[in-house]
Structure formats: structure tokens, C-alpha cells
Amino acid sequence: MKALSWPCNLVLASKDRQSSSEYRIDNCQVQVRYLSGDAETDWRTLTQDELRRHFALNTPVAHWLRRRPA
């Protein structure tokens, strides 16, 4: 996956660039939506377990969250 970071969002594109996940912080909650071709899902808030998993696995999402100002 390739990570592209904007000031407020993080986009993780698949290697073939056919799909991606976009993350944002809205009202102090981390949200995600999935993009594929011309389709996209609605934003949904990550659960505490999902956030813990990102940090435990040291994913690009965890790196992005660590770099964000408090």
C-alpha cells in the first residue's frame, strides 16, 4: 500500500490502485471510507478495537495518528 497524506486525511491505495481507504479525524473520532473505481462507502467511525489493532500492528494509520498534533 502507498500512503498519501493530506493535512487532515490519509489515503492508503492498493498496489494496483484499484481501491483505497481514506481516513480522517472528525469530532475527535477516526473515520474511514473505502473507495473503489467510481464507488465509495459512507464514512464510519473506527471502533476502539480497530484502533488498538492499528497500533498493535504499527500500520500506516498508526504512524499517521502518532504524527498528528495533539
Side-chain angles (χ1 to χ4, degrees):
M1 296 219 149
K2 183 176 180 180
L4 306 172
S5 184
W6 284 272
C8 296
N9 292 19
L10 171 73
V11 176
L12 298 176
S14 64
K15 288 182 181 181
D16 62 7
R17 297 191 181 255
Q18 296 299 315
S19 62
S20 60
S21 303
E22 183 177 9
Y23 293 84
R24 72 178 181 184
I25 297 176
D26 186 48
N27 290 326
C28 298
Q29 295 186 335
V30 180
Q31 297 182 332
V32 64
R33 69 177 173 170
Y34 302 102
L35 313 165
S36 179
D38 293 333
E40 62 186 50
T41 64
D42 290 333
W43 289 102
R44 72 168 185 84
T45 301
L46 270 63
T47 65
Q48 289 297 316
D49 285 340
E50 289 172 317
L51 287 170
R52 279 190 211 99
R53 195 171 315 122
H54 278 289
F55 282 99
L57 297 173
N58 205 26
T59 68
V61 174
H63 287 268
W64 174 67
L65 290 170
R66 283 187 191 106
R67 289 193 319 261
R68 294 192 49 79

